[in-house]
Amino acid sequence: MVRRNASRALLALVFTLTLVLSACSSKSNEGGAAESGSPAASSGAASSGAASSDANDASKPDFSEPVKLKLLFYTGQSKRMAELAGNELKDLVKKEINAEIEYVYLPWSEYGGGKTDLMLSSGEEFAAYTDINYMSKSVSKGLYADLTPYVDTYAPDLKSNVAAASFDAFKQNGKQYAIPVGNRASSAAFYSVMVRQDLLEEVGMKTIGSLADLEQYYDKVHAKYPDMIGFASTDATYMLMYEYTDQNLNWINNFIAVNEAAKDDKLISWYETPEFKKYAGLMNGWYKKGIIPKYAVTNQPQLMSDWNAGKAMFFPGTATRPIEGIAGITKAVPTAKLQNYFLSKNDRPKISRGTYNTAYFVSANAKHPERYVAFFNLLQKNQELYDLFTYGIKDKDYTIDENGRVTKLTSDLFLDDWMMMNDKFMRFEKSVPDDFIEQYKHWDDDAILSKTAGFNFDNTAVKNEESKLNGVYTEFIAPISSGFVDYDTYFPKALDKLKAAGLDKYIAEYQKQFSAWYANKPKS
């Protein structure tokens, strides 16, 4: 699986896919604010409507011309979302920014390439979300619109409700090429292991603190439920990191890592390290033992299906993933509980990429990029609109109790709430324990911001090498990294392929740009 930098976003495709397919349950900050009926009918929702625009004042948004926008998402549209998009949401967007939106849905396999690339290269107008690596590649090809001129005027609320560092993360050469959305605890994303706590307790265990504990948990549950799979993924690079190295590693992309414990600008060629060899050995051991099922070689989507069906034991975790994933699993196993644990983390601080969830780009040929920015602003404008986009219509799709806890009255998804999460507006369901909410509030207490935060690579000089390296990764490295084949047997040839594809030139160009950026970075 291709790892992306800490948006990896993420966002990370398989990781992000988890959030979508797990039918992400609601989450939010207790005591979250205004409760009202349909936001489209509220006075707050109308405050930035077309009547407030002034085409002669550049400091005010101009919504005088009606426009059509196209938004691309990588998940299916639920029946209820289609109804909302054709009624209340349609009216709201028309009233707020004088726009009409077409919603387009593609499978996750088209993210970061595939049809998305085809749409961009053919000059189609649309907006979709991005991670930092995909942004850098696309900007070098001239495929993303420069949104810098529109942020202050068309996204004032979003600027107030999303950290400034998140905006900086999506700048290249000082220009804003994507608009971040979200503001939540997000350090150590995928460095924890999320286990089925109900199964852990069922086999007589209470907690997990090491790799040995995790494998003991697998052995005990497997003995009782031999048809269950262990690990519902093929990438544990982050999750096992504390076990195979004393460094505090973070990955810029598939090929390059940094040691966050070292106060220097040194980049690490990941696949040439003894740590990668040790990691590959652990994964190969899991594969041989059956912790990673044999079918994963040819049918990785089945891993997610088994996880959502309650047929898997553990998965990489994040601060919010136990509440994001629980709704999907409890449909199959009503007694299921999820919990995060770190394996031998000790005193190493969590690494943060920033507090954003994702970011949206606008294609270069968009006629009205400013109106897309205005729409992104609506997503994080206030409590009412946050609730509308995340939960639907109050008392029809959800209710809120006196403590600000939300109860969903429909299982249909609106905008996936992993995309929306903002500590100012988040709501938790009644089923989320108080101690988990308290844990979440303190998740980032020991976090450090990655030394790479805010750095964006310009791949212009090594585009050919990058393309070749990605091909080598898919064919030769991924099977080793996932544990499907033995490191000692297959890695020498894979390394030769990496070198022939231009690995050294690629890393040298990365190092040159990073060192120049790091030298001018304000030191804390």
Side-chain angles (χ1 to χ4, degrees):
M1 179 189 71
V2 176
R3 292 185 304 278
R4 305 189 179 278
N5 82 359
S7 132
R8 291 175 205 105
L10 241 20
L11 285 225
L13 295 181
V14 172
F15 299 143
T16 305
L17 178 60
T18 310
L19 309 182
V20 176
L21 295 184
S22 296
C24 316
S25 74
S26 11
K27 36 247 168 253
S28 83
N29 205 343
E30 284 187 293
E35 300 175 13
S36 67
S38 170
S42 71
S43 59
S47 62
S48 64
S52 68
S53 65
D54 184 350
N56 298 316
D57 186 346
S59 67
K60 295 181 180 179
D62 177 11
F63 298 141
S64 57
E65 180 184 352
V67 303
K68 292 187 177 182
L69 309 178
K70 182 186 289 186
L71 294 177
L72 175 60
F73 296 102
Y74 300 93
T75 180
Q77 185 183 47
S78 69
K79 179 181 178 181
R80 185 69 188 100
M81 178 58 185
E83 293 172 352
L84 191 72
N87 295 287
E88 292 92 345
L89 245 182
K90 180 180 179 181
D91 294 341
L92 169 75
V93 174
K94 178 68 175 176
K95 188 173 187 178
E96 286 275 336
I97 63 172
N98 199 17
E100 181 181 334
I101 296 181
E102 176 188 356
Y103 299 89
V104 178
Y105 295 86
L106 293 178
W108 270 103
S109 58
E110 305 301 327
Y111 172 78
K115 191 168 183 180
T116 307
D117 271 358
L118 290 176
M119 291 172 69
L120 282 168
S121 60
S122 65
E124 251 186 87
E125 173 178 332
F126 68 102
Y129 37 90
T130 186
D131 57 55
I132 291 174
N133 282 339
Y134 190 46
M135 181 192 75
S136 297
K137 296 173 187 177
S138 300
V139 168
S140 72
K141 300 175 184 176
L143 300 176
Y144 283 10
D146 175 11
L147 304 177
T148 313
Y150 316 117
V151 175
D152 290 344
T153 301
Y154 288 88
D157 305 291
L158 196 144
K159 278 194 71 178
S160 296
N161 294 322
V162 174
S166 296
F167 280 85
D168 292 341
F170 290 92
K171 288 180 179 177
Q172 193 156 312
N173 298 322
K175 295 181 179 181
Q176 192 79 52
Y177 284 103
I179 304 298
V181 170
N183 199 69
R184 60 160 174 164
S186 58
S187 62
F190 318 121
Y191 284 77
S192 63
V193 56
M194 181 174 64
V195 306
R196 283 278 303 279
Q197 183 69 19
D198 55 308
L199 293 175
L200 186 71
E201 295 171 1
E202 185 178 342
V203 296
M205 300 177 68
K206 294 182 178 180
T207 64
I208 287 176
S210 67
L211 177 60
D213 291 342
L214 184 63
E215 293 184 350
Q216 181 185 22
Y217 160 66
Y218 169 80
D219 289 339
K220 289 187 173 184
V221 175
H222 181 67
K224 191 166 187 177
Y225 301 108
D227 291 335
M228 289 192 72
I229 68 170
F231 187 42
S233 182
T234 59
D235 192 337
T237 310
Y238 303 90
M239 195 181 86
L240 296 179
M241 188 271 291
Y242 301 111
E243 291 282 350
Y244 61 71
T245 181
D246 292 331
Q247 301 181 77
N248 205 11
L249 295 180
N250 185 24
W251 285 262
I252 292 179
N253 59 28
N254 281 340
F255 308 97
I256 302 172
V258 295
N259 179 12
E260 299 286 359
K263 296 186 181 299
D264 59 35
D265 63 351
K266 181 182 178 182
L267 300 184
I268 300 168
S269 179
W270 167 233
Y271 297 120
E272 296 183 86
T273 64
E275 284 82 6
F276 175 69
K277 179 178 181 179
K278 186 173 181 180
Y279 165 71
L282 290 173
M283 292 297 281
N284 188 236
W286 277 11
Y287 180 69
K288 289 177 177 177
K289 188 174 181 177
I291 295 176
I292 298 172
K294 297 297 187 287
Y295 70 68
V297 176
T298 56
N299 189 11
Q300 291 188 27
Q302 184 62 38
L303 294 168
M304 287 310 310
S305 297
D306 281 347
W307 174 259
N308 291 333
K311 298 177 180 178
M313 302 178 203
F314 61 94
F315 196 82
T318 69
T320 54
R321 189 164 273 178
I323 51 173
E324 294 165 356
I326 193 63
I329 289 179
T330 51
K331 289 179 183 178
V333 185
T335 57
K337 295 188 293 184
L338 302 177
Q339 184 60 268
N340 282 321
Y341 295 101
F342 288 96
L343 308 180
S344 304
K345 175 179 175 290
N346 299 321
D347 60 351
R348 277 177 275 187
K350 300 186 184 83
I351 303 163
S352 173
R353 60 171 173 80
T355 57
Y356 59 88
N357 304 328
T358 188
Y360 290 82
F361 72 85
V362 178
S363 61
N365 288 341
K367 297 181 181 67
H368 294 279
E370 79 288 344
R371 210 69 66 92
Y372 284 97
V373 174
F375 176 78
F376 304 150
N377 185 67
L378 298 181
L379 298 178
Q380 307 271 269
K381 180 177 180 179
N382 56 36
Q383 186 73 58
E384 288 180 312
L385 296 191
Y386 181 93
D387 288 344
L388 172 66
F389 284 110
T390 309
Y391 307 119
I393 302 300
K394 187 172 181 287
D395 296 326
K396 182 176 182 179
D397 299 306
Y398 71 97
T399 60
I400 302 171
D401 68 13
E402 65 278 4
N403 297 314
R405 296 294 193 100
V406 66
T407 298
K408 298 177 76 172
L409 304 179
T410 174
S411 60
D412 277 8
L413 291 172
F414 295 93
L415 288 191
D416 299 313
D417 35 357
W418 68 266
M419 297 189 296
M420 297 290 293
M421 286 182 180
N422 188 311
D423 285 347
K424 293 185 178 182
F425 309 125
M426 288 165 60
R427 298 188 185 279
F428 290 98
E429 290 195 63
K430 291 181 181 180
S431 59
V432 179
D434 290 339
D435 60 350
F436 181 85
I437 296 173
E438 192 63 23
Q439 180 188 68
Y440 170 77
K441 290 178 178 178
H442 294 283
W443 182 269
D444 279 350
D445 284 358
D446 70 336
I448 58 171
L449 187 64
S450 170
K451 67 172 76 176
T452 68
F455 170 70
N456 291 310
F457 180 61
D458 180 356
N459 74 341
T460 303
V462 288
K463 280 192 291 188
N464 291 335
E465 287 77 10
E466 187 173 68
S467 178
K468 292 176 183 177
L469 287 169
N470 286 331
V472 172
Y473 170 82
T474 300
E475 184 175 357
F476 296 97
I477 296 295
I480 300 170
S481 183
S482 298
F484 301 155
V485 297
D486 174 67
Y487 175 95
D488 289 331
T489 303
Y490 290 91
F491 184 72
K493 180 179 179 181
L495 181 60
D496 288 343
K497 294 288 185 180
L498 287 173
K499 295 292 188 178
L503 179 65
D504 293 338
K505 179 181 177 181
Y506 179 72
I507 292 178
E509 179 64 24
Y510 234 111
Q511 183 70 71
K512 182 179 76 172
Q513 291 187 33
F514 183 67
S515 294
W517 174 86
Y518 190 84
N520 294 303
K521 177 184 176 183
K523 300 299 187 290
S524 56

